[in-house]
Amino acid sequence: MKLVVAIVQDQDALAVLNALARQGLRATKLASTGGFLREGNTTVLVGVEEDAVDRVLDILRSTGSVRREPVPPAEGGSGEEARPAEVLVGGATVFVLDVVRYAKF
Ligand code: 2BA
């Protein structure tokens, strides 16, 4: 079994969850915050058998939008010179992890 951890933009989260549900895939949505922009994003956890991982990746690939986002000033001001004025955010940042054990009681 695999655990797909996907970080998506809040505005894409509903479409991702709907597409997963349509394919009978179970998911958990977590509210998260990006470490760089310090803005809200959504982390989606999807536990699936190995043969379904590509279906999950296809959904994430097709539902994520990319947008340009201004970078706010750094708290404390340090490293300000190195920060870009804006960055591209989205569609999905994805990690696929091996699940050592899965149980549901
Ligand atoms: P944030 O950390 O808020 O990053 C937002 C966007 O800022 C990133 O978009 C990237 O374009 C840019 N960025 C991030 N760190 C940067 C840096 N040190 N220097 C210059 N630009 C930087 P995405 O790559 O699409 O990432 C979207 C969100 O996915 C991230 O929000 C973070 O929450 C998560 N993420 C991305 N890569 C990750 C990783 N390796 N580990 C954990 N979370 C990650």
Side-chain angles (χ1 to χ4, degrees), residues 7 33-38 41 84 87-90 93 95:
I7 301 152
T33 303
F36 189 67
L37 292 179
R38 314 286 161 87
N41 53 30
V87 289
L88 285 179
V89 187
T93 298
F95 304 88

Side-chain angles (χ1 to χ4, degrees), residues 1 11 14-15 17-18 20 22 25 27 30-32 34 36 39 41 43 48 53 59 76 81 84 90 93-94 105:
M1 189 175 202
Q11 64 198 47
L14 196 60
L17 293 173
N18 285 341
L20 291 168
R22 270 198 300 276
L25 299 166
L30 304 174
S32 46
F36 189 67
E39 288 184 355
N41 53 30
T43 299
V48 287
V53 168
I59 288 170
E81 322 72 41
T93 298
V94 183
F105 300 111

Side-chain angles (χ1 to χ4, degrees), residues 54-74:
D54 284 341
R55 274 200 289 151
V56 176
L57 299 185
D58 285 345
I59 288 170
L60 292 165
R61 197 178 290 114
S62 61
T63 45
S65 57
V66 179
R67 71 175 195 275
R68 220 168 265 282
E69 186 81 7
V71 175

